[in-house]
Amino acid sequence: MKFENLMLHSLFAACLLVCVLTLGAMISAPATYAAASVANAAPAVAAQPAG
């Protein structure tokens, strides 16, 4: 029973670490990707020929 408890605690710690690192990467990532995709999409819509 002690081995299973240790394994569960280790798994919980590993999952928590992955979640914290993922959240930190999302928060600290620059927001230029979304702005660039919006800027690239806008001229494509405006450049369509009329008619």
Short mmCIF file of all heavy atoms in Angstrom, two decimals:
data_model
loop_
_atom_site.label_atom_id
_atom_site.label_comp_id
_atom_site.label_asym_id
_atom_site.label_seq_id
_atom_site.Cartn_x
_atom_site.Cartn_y
_atom_site.Cartn_z
N MET A 1 0.83 -1.19 0.00
CA MET A 1 0.00 0.00 0.00
C MET A 1 0.87 1.25 0.00
O MET A 1 0.49 2.26 -0.58
CB MET A 1 -0.92 -0.04 1.22
CG MET A 1 -1.96 1.04 1.24
SD MET A 1 -3.13 0.78 -0.09
CE MET A 1 -4.46 1.78 0.45
N LYS A 2 2.02 1.19 0.61
CA LYS A 2 2.88 2.36 0.66
C LYS A 2 3.44 2.68 -0.73
O LYS A 2 3.58 3.85 -1.09
CB LYS A 2 4.01 2.10 1.65
CG LYS A 2 4.78 3.34 1.98
CD LYS A 2 5.56 3.18 3.27
CE LYS A 2 6.14 4.51 3.64
NZ LYS A 2 5.96 4.86 5.01
N PHE A 3 3.73 1.66 -1.52
CA PHE A 3 4.25 1.87 -2.86
C PHE A 3 3.21 2.57 -3.74
O PHE A 3 3.53 3.51 -4.47
CB PHE A 3 4.65 0.53 -3.48
CG PHE A 3 5.10 0.65 -4.91
CD1 PHE A 3 6.33 1.22 -5.22
CD2 PHE A 3 4.30 0.20 -5.94
CE1 PHE A 3 6.75 1.34 -6.53
CE2 PHE A 3 4.72 0.32 -7.26
CZ PHE A 3 5.94 0.89 -7.55
N GLU A 4 1.95 2.12 -3.67
CA GLU A 4 0.89 2.74 -4.46
C GLU A 4 0.68 4.19 -4.05
O GLU A 4 0.46 5.07 -4.90
CB GLU A 4 -0.42 1.97 -4.31
CG GLU A 4 -0.42 0.61 -4.98
CD GLU A 4 0.12 -0.49 -4.08
OE1 GLU A 4 0.53 -0.18 -2.95
OE2 GLU A 4 0.16 -1.64 -4.52
N ASN A 5 0.76 4.45 -2.76
CA ASN A 5 0.58 5.81 -2.27
C ASN A 5 1.71 6.71 -2.77
O ASN A 5 1.47 7.84 -3.20
CB ASN A 5 0.54 5.79 -0.74
CG ASN A 5 -0.03 7.06 -0.18
OD1 ASN A 5 -0.61 7.85 -0.90
ND2 ASN A 5 0.14 7.25 1.11
N LEU A 6 2.92 6.20 -2.75
CA LEU A 6 4.06 6.96 -3.26
C LEU A 6 3.93 7.22 -4.76
O LEU A 6 4.20 8.33 -5.24
CB LEU A 6 5.36 6.21 -2.97
CG LEU A 6 6.63 6.85 -3.47
CD1 LEU A 6 6.88 8.18 -2.75
CD2 LEU A 6 7.80 5.91 -3.29
N MET A 7 3.48 6.23 -5.51
CA MET A 7 3.30 6.40 -6.95
C MET A 7 2.22 7.42 -7.26
O MET A 7 2.37 8.25 -8.16
CB MET A 7 2.96 5.05 -7.60
CG MET A 7 4.13 4.07 -7.62
SD MET A 7 5.57 4.69 -8.48
CE MET A 7 4.99 4.66 -10.15
N LEU A 8 1.12 7.40 -6.51
CA LEU A 8 0.05 8.37 -6.75
C LEU A 8 0.50 9.79 -6.41
O LEU A 8 0.17 10.74 -7.11
CB LEU A 8 -1.18 7.99 -5.93
CG LEU A 8 -2.02 6.85 -6.50
CD1 LEU A 8 -3.14 6.49 -5.54
CD2 LEU A 8 -2.60 7.23 -7.85
N HIS A 9 1.26 9.92 -5.34
CA HIS A 9 1.77 11.24 -4.98
C HIS A 9 2.75 11.75 -6.04
O HIS A 9 2.75 12.93 -6.39
CB HIS A 9 2.43 11.20 -3.60
CG HIS A 9 1.47 11.29 -2.47
ND1 HIS A 9 0.63 10.26 -2.13
CD2 HIS A 9 1.21 12.30 -1.61
CE1 HIS A 9 -0.10 10.62 -1.09
NE2 HIS A 9 0.23 11.87 -0.76
N SER A 10 3.57 10.86 -6.55
CA SER A 10 4.52 11.25 -7.60
C SER A 10 3.80 11.63 -8.88
O SER A 10 4.15 12.62 -9.54
CB SER A 10 5.49 10.11 -7.89
OG SER A 10 6.21 9.79 -6.73
N LEU A 11 2.77 10.88 -9.23
CA LEU A 11 1.99 11.20 -10.43
C LEU A 11 1.28 12.54 -10.27
O LEU A 11 1.24 13.35 -11.20
CB LEU A 11 0.97 10.09 -10.69
CG LEU A 11 0.06 10.30 -11.91
CD1 LEU A 11 0.88 10.34 -13.19
CD2 LEU A 11 -0.99 9.21 -11.97
N PHE A 12 0.72 12.78 -9.10
CA PHE A 12 0.06 14.06 -8.85
C PHE A 12 1.05 15.21 -8.96
O PHE A 12 0.75 16.24 -9.57
CB PHE A 12 -0.59 14.05 -7.46
CG PHE A 12 -1.22 15.37 -7.10
CD1 PHE A 12 -2.41 15.76 -7.67
CD2 PHE A 12 -0.61 16.21 -6.19
CE1 PHE A 12 -2.99 16.96 -7.35
CE2 PHE A 12 -1.18 17.42 -5.86
CZ PHE A 12 -2.37 17.80 -6.43
N ALA A 13 2.23 15.05 -8.41
CA ALA A 13 3.24 16.10 -8.48
C ALA A 13 3.67 16.34 -9.92
O ALA A 13 3.84 17.49 -10.34
CB ALA A 13 4.44 15.72 -7.61
N ALA A 14 3.85 15.29 -10.69
CA ALA A 14 4.25 15.43 -12.09
C ALA A 14 3.16 16.13 -12.90
O ALA A 14 3.45 17.02 -13.71
CB ALA A 14 4.56 14.07 -12.69
N CYS A 15 1.92 15.75 -12.68
CA CYS A 15 0.81 16.39 -13.41
C CYS A 15 0.67 17.85 -13.02
O CYS A 15 0.41 18.71 -13.87
CB CYS A 15 -0.50 15.65 -13.14
SG CYS A 15 -0.55 14.01 -13.86
N LEU A 16 0.83 18.14 -11.75
CA LEU A 16 0.75 19.52 -11.29
C LEU A 16 1.87 20.36 -11.91
O LEU A 16 1.65 21.49 -12.33
CB LEU A 16 0.82 19.56 -9.77
CG LEU A 16 0.61 20.92 -9.11
CD1 LEU A 16 -0.81 21.41 -9.39
CD2 LEU A 16 0.84 20.83 -7.62
N LEU A 17 3.06 19.80 -11.97
CA LEU A 17 4.19 20.50 -12.58
C LEU A 17 3.93 20.78 -14.05
O LEU A 17 4.19 21.89 -14.54
CB LEU A 17 5.46 19.68 -12.40
CG LEU A 17 6.74 20.27 -12.99
CD1 LEU A 17 7.10 21.57 -12.27
CD2 LEU A 17 7.86 19.28 -12.92
N VAL A 18 3.41 19.81 -14.77
CA VAL A 18 3.11 20.01 -16.19
C VAL A 18 2.05 21.10 -16.37
O VAL A 18 2.17 21.96 -17.24
CB VAL A 18 2.67 18.68 -16.84
CG1 VAL A 18 2.08 18.91 -18.22
CG2 VAL A 18 3.83 17.72 -16.91
N CYS A 19 1.03 21.07 -15.54
CA CYS A 19 -0.03 22.09 -15.64
C CYS A 19 0.50 23.48 -15.33
O CYS A 19 0.16 24.45 -16.02
CB CYS A 19 -1.18 21.75 -14.70
SG CYS A 19 -2.13 20.32 -15.21
N VAL A 20 1.33 23.60 -14.31
CA VAL A 20 1.88 24.91 -13.95
C VAL A 20 2.80 25.42 -15.05
O VAL A 20 2.75 26.60 -15.42
CB VAL A 20 2.61 24.82 -12.59
CG1 VAL A 20 3.45 26.05 -12.33
CG2 VAL A 20 1.60 24.62 -11.47
N LEU A 21 3.63 24.55 -15.61
CA LEU A 21 4.51 24.98 -16.69
C LEU A 21 3.73 25.38 -17.93
O LEU A 21 4.07 26.35 -18.61
CB LEU A 21 5.51 23.87 -17.02
CG LEU A 21 6.58 23.61 -15.97
CD1 LEU A 21 7.41 22.40 -16.36
CD2 LEU A 21 7.46 24.82 -15.78
N THR A 22 2.67 24.64 -18.26
CA THR A 22 1.85 24.98 -19.41
C THR A 22 1.15 26.31 -19.21
O THR A 22 1.12 27.16 -20.11
CB THR A 22 0.81 23.87 -19.67
OG1 THR A 22 1.49 22.63 -19.84
CG2 THR A 22 -0.02 24.17 -20.90
N LEU A 23 0.59 26.51 -18.04
CA LEU A 23 -0.08 27.78 -17.74
C LEU A 23 0.90 28.94 -17.78
O LEU A 23 0.60 30.01 -18.34
CB LEU A 23 -0.76 27.70 -16.38
CG LEU A 23 -1.56 28.93 -15.95
CD1 LEU A 23 -2.74 29.13 -16.88
CD2 LEU A 23 -2.03 28.78 -14.52
N GLY A 24 2.08 28.74 -17.23
CA GLY A 24 3.09 29.78 -17.26
C GLY A 24 3.53 30.11 -18.67
O GLY A 24 3.76 31.28 -19.00
N ALA A 25 3.64 29.11 -19.52
CA ALA A 25 4.02 29.35 -20.91
C ALA A 25 2.94 30.11 -21.65
O ALA A 25 3.22 30.99 -22.47
CB ALA A 25 4.32 28.03 -21.61
N MET A 26 1.68 29.79 -21.37
CA MET A 26 0.59 30.50 -22.03
C MET A 26 0.50 31.95 -21.56
O MET A 26 0.21 32.85 -22.36
CB MET A 26 -0.74 29.79 -21.78
CG MET A 26 -0.89 28.50 -22.54
SD MET A 26 -2.55 27.83 -22.47
CE MET A 26 -2.71 27.39 -20.76
N ILE A 27 0.75 32.18 -20.30
CA ILE A 27 0.65 33.54 -19.76
C ILE A 27 1.82 34.40 -20.25
O ILE A 27 1.65 35.56 -20.59
CB ILE A 27 0.59 33.51 -18.22
CG1 ILE A 27 -0.76 32.95 -17.78
CG2 ILE A 27 0.82 34.88 -17.62
CD1 ILE A 27 -0.88 32.72 -16.30
N SER A 28 3.00 33.82 -20.29
CA SER A 28 4.18 34.60 -20.65
C SER A 28 4.42 34.68 -22.15
O SER A 28 5.31 35.40 -22.59
CB SER A 28 5.42 34.02 -19.97
OG SER A 28 5.69 32.74 -20.50
N ALA A 29 3.63 33.98 -22.95
CA ALA A 29 3.82 34.02 -24.41
C ALA A 29 3.41 35.38 -24.94
O ALA A 29 2.44 35.97 -24.47
CB ALA A 29 2.99 32.92 -25.07
N PRO A 30 4.13 35.86 -25.93
CA PRO A 30 3.75 37.16 -26.51
C PRO A 30 2.43 37.04 -27.26
O PRO A 30 2.13 36.00 -27.85
CB PRO A 30 4.89 37.48 -27.47
CG PRO A 30 5.53 36.18 -27.76
CD PRO A 30 5.33 35.32 -26.54
N ALA A 31 1.65 38.09 -27.25
CA ALA A 31 0.33 38.08 -27.89
C ALA A 31 0.40 38.50 -29.34
O ALA A 31 -0.61 38.86 -29.93
CB ALA A 31 -0.60 39.00 -27.11
N THR A 32 1.56 38.48 -29.96
CA THR A 32 1.69 38.92 -31.34
C THR A 32 1.15 37.90 -32.33
O THR A 32 0.88 38.24 -33.47
CB THR A 32 3.16 39.21 -31.67
OG1 THR A 32 3.93 38.05 -31.41
CG2 THR A 32 3.69 40.36 -30.83
N TYR A 33 1.00 36.65 -31.92
CA TYR A 33 0.51 35.63 -32.84
C TYR A 33 -0.93 35.91 -33.24
O TYR A 33 -1.28 35.87 -34.41
CB TYR A 33 0.61 34.24 -32.22
CG TYR A 33 2.03 33.87 -31.88
CD1 TYR A 33 2.42 33.67 -30.56
CD2 TYR A 33 2.99 33.72 -32.87
CE1 TYR A 33 3.72 33.34 -30.24
CE2 TYR A 33 4.29 33.40 -32.57
CZ TYR A 33 4.64 33.20 -31.24
OH TYR A 33 5.92 32.88 -30.93
N ALA A 34 -1.78 36.22 -32.29
CA ALA A 34 -3.18 36.51 -32.59
C ALA A 34 -3.29 37.79 -33.40
O ALA A 34 -4.07 37.87 -34.35
CB ALA A 34 -3.97 36.60 -31.31
N ALA A 35 -2.53 38.81 -33.05
CA ALA A 35 -2.59 40.07 -33.77
C ALA A 35 -2.10 39.89 -35.21
O ALA A 35 -2.65 40.47 -36.15
CB ALA A 35 -1.77 41.12 -33.05
N ALA A 36 -1.09 39.08 -35.40
CA ALA A 36 -0.57 38.86 -36.74
C ALA A 36 -1.57 38.09 -37.60
O ALA A 36 -1.74 38.39 -38.79
CB ALA A 36 0.75 38.10 -36.68
N SER A 37 -2.26 37.13 -37.03
CA SER A 37 -3.23 36.37 -37.81
C SER A 37 -4.42 37.24 -38.18
O SER A 37 -4.96 37.13 -39.28
CB SER A 37 -3.68 35.13 -37.05
OG SER A 37 -4.38 35.51 -35.88
N VAL A 38 -4.83 38.13 -37.29
CA VAL A 38 -5.92 39.04 -37.61
C VAL A 38 -5.48 40.03 -38.68
O VAL A 38 -6.23 40.33 -39.62
CB VAL A 38 -6.40 39.78 -36.33
CG1 VAL A 38 -7.35 40.91 -36.69
CG2 VAL A 38 -7.06 38.79 -35.38
N ALA A 39 -4.27 40.53 -38.58
CA ALA A 39 -3.76 41.48 -39.58
C ALA A 39 -3.62 40.82 -40.94
O ALA A 39 -3.85 41.46 -41.97
CB ALA A 39 -2.43 42.05 -39.10
N ASN A 40 -3.23 39.57 -40.97
CA ASN A 40 -3.08 38.87 -42.25
C ASN A 40 -4.43 38.52 -42.86
O ASN A 40 -4.57 38.44 -44.07
CB ASN A 40 -2.24 37.60 -42.08
CG ASN A 40 -0.78 37.92 -41.83
OD1 ASN A 40 -0.31 39.00 -42.16
ND2 ASN A 40 -0.08 36.98 -41.22
N ALA A 41 -5.44 38.29 -42.03
CA ALA A 41 -6.75 37.91 -42.54
C ALA A 41 -7.53 39.11 -43.07
O ALA A 41 -8.33 38.98 -43.98
CB ALA A 41 -7.55 37.21 -41.46
N ALA A 42 -7.31 40.28 -42.53
CA ALA A 42 -8.09 41.45 -42.91
C ALA A 42 -7.87 41.84 -44.39
O ALA A 42 -8.84 42.05 -45.10
CB ALA A 42 -7.77 42.61 -41.98
N PRO A 43 -6.64 41.93 -44.88
CA PRO A 43 -6.49 42.30 -46.30
C PRO A 43 -7.04 41.26 -47.27
O PRO A 43 -7.52 41.60 -48.33
CB PRO A 43 -4.99 42.44 -46.49
CG PRO A 43 -4.44 42.66 -45.13
CD PRO A 43 -5.37 41.91 -44.21
N ALA A 44 -7.03 40.00 -46.88
CA ALA A 44 -7.54 38.96 -47.76
C ALA A 44 -9.04 39.13 -47.96
O ALA A 44 -9.57 38.89 -49.04
CB ALA A 44 -7.22 37.59 -47.18
N VAL A 45 -9.74 39.55 -46.94
CA VAL A 45 -11.18 39.76 -47.06
C VAL A 45 -11.45 41.02 -47.88
O VAL A 45 -12.35 41.06 -48.71
CB VAL A 45 -11.82 39.87 -45.65
CG1 VAL A 45 -13.27 40.25 -45.73
CG2 VAL A 45 -11.64 38.56 -44.91
N ALA A 46 -10.66 42.07 -47.67
CA ALA A 46 -10.90 43.33 -48.37
C ALA A 46 -10.45 43.26 -49.82
O ALA A 46 -10.89 44.06 -50.64
CB ALA A 46 -10.15 44.45 -47.65
N ALA A 47 -9.59 42.32 -50.20
CA ALA A 47 -9.03 42.28 -51.54
C ALA A 47 -9.88 41.48 -52.52
O ALA A 47 -9.50 41.31 -53.67
CB ALA A 47 -7.62 41.70 -51.49
N GLN A 48 -11.03 41.00 -52.11
CA GLN A 48 -11.86 40.21 -53.01
C GLN A 48 -12.49 41.12 -54.07
O GLN A 48 -12.94 42.23 -53.75
CB GLN A 48 -12.96 39.48 -52.24
CG GLN A 48 -12.42 38.38 -51.35
CD GLN A 48 -13.55 37.71 -50.56
OE1 GLN A 48 -14.66 38.19 -50.55
NE2 GLN A 48 -13.23 36.62 -49.90
N PRO A 49 -12.52 40.68 -55.29
CA PRO A 49 -13.11 41.53 -56.35
C PRO A 49 -14.61 41.68 -56.16
O PRO A 49 -15.30 40.74 -55.74
CB PRO A 49 -12.77 40.78 -57.63
CG PRO A 49 -12.49 39.39 -57.23
CD PRO A 49 -12.00 39.44 -55.80
N ALA A 50 -15.12 42.83 -56.47
CA ALA A 50 -16.55 43.08 -56.37
C ALA A 50 -17.25 42.48 -57.57
O ALA A 50 -16.76 42.52 -58.68
CB ALA A 50 -16.79 44.58 -56.30
N GLY A 51 -18.43 41.94 -57.28
CA GLY A 51 -19.21 41.47 -58.41
C GLY A 51 -19.35 40.02 -58.39
O GLY A 51 -19.87 39.25 -58.98
#
